[in-house]
Amino acid sequence: MASAARFLSRGGCAVRTRLLWGAPKARLGWRRQVASGRSEVLEQSRFFRRGVAFSALSYLGYEAYILISHSSVVHADVKVNEVLDQADYLYGSGETKKLYQLLEQYKNSENAQLLWRLARASRDVAQLSQTSAEKKKQLIYEALDYATKALEKEKSCFSVHKWYAICLSDVGDYEGIKKKITNAFVIKEHFQKAIELNPKDATSLHLMGIWCYTFADMPWYQSKIAAALFSTPPSSTYEEALRYFQKAEDVEPNFYSKNLLFLGKTYMKLNNRKMALFWLSKAKERLSHTEEDKQVHKEAVELLNSL
């Protein structure tokens, strides 16, 4: 209302200015001039009142427009939050296909929170055993597109950086070892950014551990390619990988079957049989909720038998 008061005040000053500068200077008949002046003043007064009325109506219309626009934004935000809540529920319930079907409706969204979840859902459907090889490849590339768009919209969200790095890593499986090694630096950068933004996210810590384990365990021919591509190729050690896996477990114990498996595998690489048996047994005993959990259980059993 303060802006309306200022508007009306400016209007009043303008009318008063016009009346003063419109005062006749010639010496005509005083009464006629006064009558004429009164008539002019009354006419201008009526015009002014109409102007004020129109201005007030315009102002009220503008206020209504702002209120409706704000309500629309609030309504849109509420709807997005409802979709996110539903998506998180489905993800927690292991409803992979239903989650993808829900989020695919919003593939043209500009909301980073929807987009990174859609990237994750696309990737999860790609990992299902019943997904054909052709469909898997399509979903993997779509997931990267969604993650890239999410990163463009919001760079301060740890989940955006995490899933961008995951999706970029997946695409490397289709683009050859040279491209995969080239992307490795970018992937590491985004995992580290995710950890910086949220040091308590166990998944980001685990994934950084996977990155370290992968390059510590790199076959000799891949190492030669990396050395040919870069003066300082990506590298790591099993000890560094172990620190990330253990830190992830400290942050959120038993959060992920694969972290238990890789703790066991890393201890095997470090020739610590006792600790390898401990973590592989935990991976074997953990309840399987997803297909990945079942695969982890199978590998843990095979590794335990080998020990």
Side-chain angles (χ1 to χ4, degrees):
M1 291 304 292
S3 60
R6 286 194 297 272
F7 172 79
L8 293 175
S9 174
R10 288 196 298 270
C13 288
V15 171
R16 282 197 298 270
T17 301
R18 286 198 298 272
L19 288 174
L20 285 170
W21 284 105
K25 295 183 180 179
R27 295 184 177 182
L28 299 172
W30 181 78
R31 291 182 185 275
R32 185 181 298 174
Q33 195 168 337
V34 168
S36 176
R38 284 175 180 167
S39 176
E40 184 180 353
V41 168
L42 288 171
E43 181 64 27
Q44 290 190 1
S45 177
R46 284 195 294 271
F47 177 80
F48 172 67
R49 286 199 298 272
R50 287 199 299 271
V52 168
F54 292 143
S55 299
L57 286 172
S58 298
Y59 176 75
L60 290 173
Y62 174 73
E63 286 290 295
Y65 167 77
I66 292 297
L67 183 61
I68 292 167
S69 299
H70 178 68
S71 299
S72 299
V73 171
V74 170
H75 178 71
D77 287 344
V78 169
K79 185 177 180 181
V80 167
N81 288 334
E82 288 175 355
V83 174
L84 293 177
D85 288 342
Q86 191 177 354
D88 290 343
Y89 173 78
L90 290 172
Y91 182 75
S93 303
E95 297 282 0
T96 304
K97 288 186 176 179
K98 287 182 181 179
L99 174 60
Y100 176 73
Q101 289 165 1
L102 168 69
L103 292 174
E104 191 184 20
Q105 302 173 68
Y106 303 95
K107 62 184 179 181
N108 296 320
S109 172
E110 299 293 314
N111 187 293
Q113 296 302 314
L114 285 170
L115 289 167
W116 75 254
R117 284 171 171 82
L118 178 54
R120 179 181 66 183
S122 302
R123 181 182 185 272
D124 286 348
V125 173
Q127 303 300 324
L128 295 176
S129 58
Q130 61 265 39
T131 302
S132 67
E134 184 181 351
K135 184 64 175 176
K136 178 178 180 178
K137 182 177 180 180
Q138 177 191 329
L139 287 166
I140 289 296
Y141 276 92
E142 284 180 4
L144 180 59
D145 287 341
Y146 298 137
T148 302
K149 191 175 176 183
L151 187 63
E152 290 169 356
K153 298 298 176 186
E154 188 173 344
K155 290 183 170 60
S156 60
C157 174
F158 76 94
S159 293
V160 170
H161 287 277
K162 175 171 67 179
W163 286 99
Y164 174 76
I166 292 169
C167 295
L168 184 60
S169 177
D170 288 343
V171 165
D173 292 338
Y174 297 97
E175 298 186 348
I177 186 62
K178 182 177 178 180
K179 185 69 172 177
K180 196 162 190 174
I181 294 172
T182 303
N183 287 341
F185 292 104
V186 181
I187 292 166
K188 181 181 182 181
E189 176 187 333
H190 285 281
F191 281 148
Q192 288 179 329
K193 185 64 178 178
I195 293 169
E196 177 190 323
L197 290 168
N198 185 3
K200 296 297 183 182
D201 181 51
T203 308
S204 297
L205 292 163
H206 164 79
L207 292 168
M208 194 62 234
I210 292 289
W211 190 97
C212 295
Y213 185 96
T214 300
F215 284 98
D217 202 45
M218 183 182 284
W220 67 269
Y221 68 92
Q222 292 185 6
S223 297
K224 292 195 76 172
I225 294 172
L229 288 172
F230 306 100
S231 56
T232 308
S235 63
S236 190
T237 64
Y238 293 119
E239 287 82 1
E240 188 177 10
L242 183 63
R243 285 196 295 273
Y244 280 110
F245 292 139
Q246 189 60 64
K247 194 169 182 179
E249 204 62 30
D250 293 342
V251 166
E252 192 176 342
N254 204 38
F255 77 103
Y256 186 31
S257 60
K258 206 166 184 179
N259 198 63
L260 302 174
L261 176 68
F262 269 88
L263 276 163
K265 290 175 72 171
T266 307
Y267 274 115
M268 283 180 70
K269 293 291 184 180
L270 294 171
N271 298 314
N272 189 329
R273 186 173 181 276
K274 181 181 177 181
M275 292 302 294
L277 285 168
F278 174 78
W279 288 109
L280 290 172
S281 297
K282 285 180 75 72
K284 174 191 170 186
E285 292 161 8
R286 191 179 186 276
L287 290 175
S288 297
H289 299 287
T290 65
E291 287 199 27
E292 186 179 51
D293 289 338
K294 293 173 186 176
Q295 293 167 7
V296 164
H297 179 270
K298 181 183 177 183
E299 187 174 353
V301 169
E302 291 171 353
L303 289 171
L304 283 167
N305 290 336
S306 72
L307 287 171

